[in-house]
Amino acid sequence: VRRLVAEERRAVLEVRGRTEAEAKVEVRSATSDDVVERPAREGARVSAGDILCVLERGTREARVLEAKAVLAQAELDHAAATQLNSKGFTAQTRVAALQAQLDAAKARLQEAELELERTVIRSPIDGVIESPMAEVGAKLDNGGICATVVDSDPMTAIGQVSELNIGEISLNMPATVRLVTGESLDGKVRYISPSADPDTRTFRIEVELPNPDGKARDGVTAVTLLPLPAEKAHKVSPAILTLNDAGQVGIRAVDDSNKTVFYPIRVLGGEQDGMWIGGLPEEVVAITVGQEYVSDGEPVEPVFETAEVSQ
């Protein structure tokens, strides 16, 4: 036998996955026309509101001027009718009709101005422009892509965690992410899926990584290291493990009255010089040789390993 004393174990859970940009937006045109200007370039960093593409305005400016003129005339007609109505020289129905024309003129002007604004396509987010972009001279249809903007700050490391380990992870838990490209970044858990993938029985987690310099790139293989809470555990050789009659894995030990007792265990992790197990009392006298030849509750004469070696 050998006396086993529990030690404090700080385990680290490894989660394999990949990086994912905070946002990846395909900036599309809301109108149709030719690209006449492209102030931004692939790989450039842009801010929200920066111009990406400018389309040919065509007759849109003329339509705005026309809509403004129609609105001005409608305002004059409405004002005159209102004044005549107050003096009893025109009917209220005419005032109402001119009010409707005035409202329609305002709507047409707003529509014309909006159509003109659509010729200037702006970035909706901060980020870096991904190749390719629409070329000058190319025709963009309604819904055509001017550019794709990738926001990589913060970067997100995503992975799948087994249902056996998901209970050990919590929001805002610190994490270290190692990228296959060699970089290492520190972050925290910001999302834990409330439901498991029905095919793999794993839960998606996301780790937020500050990435102001952009050294972490989208879609890179990553390993997330999550330090788990410290717990008491025993480090043993796998050779002392055995099965009881019910098929449970555990160890046989000797109690204070020198009778054998079986303790089911749970495997916590392995190392080169042994394995960590849980489920045992803090201090236990484990049978290291002969555990297969005794049954539960059998009286024995234990011999400690140290005594056996000294004989």
Side-chain angles (χ1 to χ4, degrees):
V1 297
R2 182 160 61 92
R3 189 178 304 278
L4 304 178
V5 179
E7 306 173 50
E8 190 173 83
R9 174 179 181 263
R10 288 189 174 273
V12 176
L13 179 64
E14 287 192 4
V15 181
R16 298 188 178 275
R18 60 181 173 82
T19 58
E20 189 175 90
E22 175 71 6
K24 189 173 184 177
V25 180
E26 294 179 338
V27 186
R28 298 177 181 271
S29 173
T31 188
S32 299
D33 224 311
D34 297 336
V35 179
V36 295
E37 188 179 348
R38 201 184 69 172
R41 291 291 181 268
E42 292 95 335
R45 181 170 292 277
V46 294
S47 300
D50 286 354
I51 298 174
L52 302 178
C53 296
V54 178
L55 304 183
E56 174 66 47
R57 295 188 176 188
T59 59
R60 294 177 179 86
E61 289 181 326
R63 290 173 186 168
V64 171
L65 294 176
E66 180 183 6
K68 287 182 177 179
V70 172
L71 175 60
Q73 183 62 50
E75 288 175 340
L76 288 175
D77 291 344
H78 180 265
T82 302
Q83 186 175 9
L84 290 173
N85 176 258
S86 65
K87 296 179 180 180
F89 295 119
T90 189
Q92 182 63 36
T93 54
R94 175 163 176 75
V95 175
L98 291 174
Q99 178 64 54
Q101 292 180 14
L102 176 61
D103 292 341
K106 290 179 179 178
R108 283 193 292 271
L109 175 60
Q110 186 177 7
E111 182 182 0
E113 289 176 337
L114 181 59
E115 179 63 18
L116 181 61
E117 289 177 6
R118 287 171 176 163
T119 61
V120 179
I121 304 174
R122 301 177 183 273
S123 175
I125 60 172
D126 297 345
V128 176
I129 300 176
E130 186 178 72
S131 181
M133 284 187 71
E135 298 290 344
V136 173
K139 180 177 177 57
L140 279 185
D141 293 325
N142 194 345
I145 298 175
C146 161
T148 300
V149 182
V150 179
D151 180 10
S152 59
D153 184 26
M155 184 63 73
T156 303
I158 63 173
Q160 302 291 331
V161 176
S162 163
E163 57 187 351
L164 299 176
N165 301 115
I166 194 64
E168 299 173 311
I169 300 175
S170 59
L171 292 175
N172 297 317
M173 174 184 285
T176 299
V177 176
R178 295 175 182 168
L179 307 181
V180 72
T181 52
E183 294 89 354
S184 180
L185 298 92
D186 294 325
K188 62 181 180 180
V189 177
R190 74 172 186 184
Y191 172 77
I192 303 172
S193 174
S195 60
D197 184 300
D199 297 324
T200 62
R201 310 305 303 170
T202 57
F203 293 79
R204 176 188 170 107
I205 67 165
E206 296 180 2
V207 175
E208 183 178 295
L209 305 168
N211 189 36
D213 53 3
K215 66 179 181 179
R217 299 180 181 274
D218 179 46
V220 175
T221 300
V223 177
T224 300
L225 306 177
L226 297 165
L228 301 180
E231 61 178 335
K232 291 287 189 178
H234 296 78
K235 193 175 186 181
V236 302
S237 167
I240 73 170
L241 301 183
T242 186
L243 297 174
N244 65 1
D245 293 339
Q248 292 177 297
V249 179
I251 68 168
R252 279 204 167 86
V254 177
D255 62 16
D256 294 338
S257 59
N258 286 346
K259 289 186 178 181
T260 58
V261 60
F262 180 85
Y263 292 107
I265 60 96
R266 49 192 176 86
V267 178
L268 302 177
E271 295 182 4
Q272 291 183 348
D273 57 345
M275 63 188 304
W276 289 95
I277 61 174
L280 301 179
E282 187 164 338
E283 189 171 323
V284 62
V285 178
I287 302 176
T288 57
V289 178
Q291 66 269 32
E292 303 293 346
Y293 303 104
V294 293
S295 57
D296 296 348
E298 187 175 339
V300 294
E301 294 182 13
V303 177
F304 283 86
E305 285 185 353
T306 53
E308 185 178 41
V309 171
S310 64
Q311 289 177 354

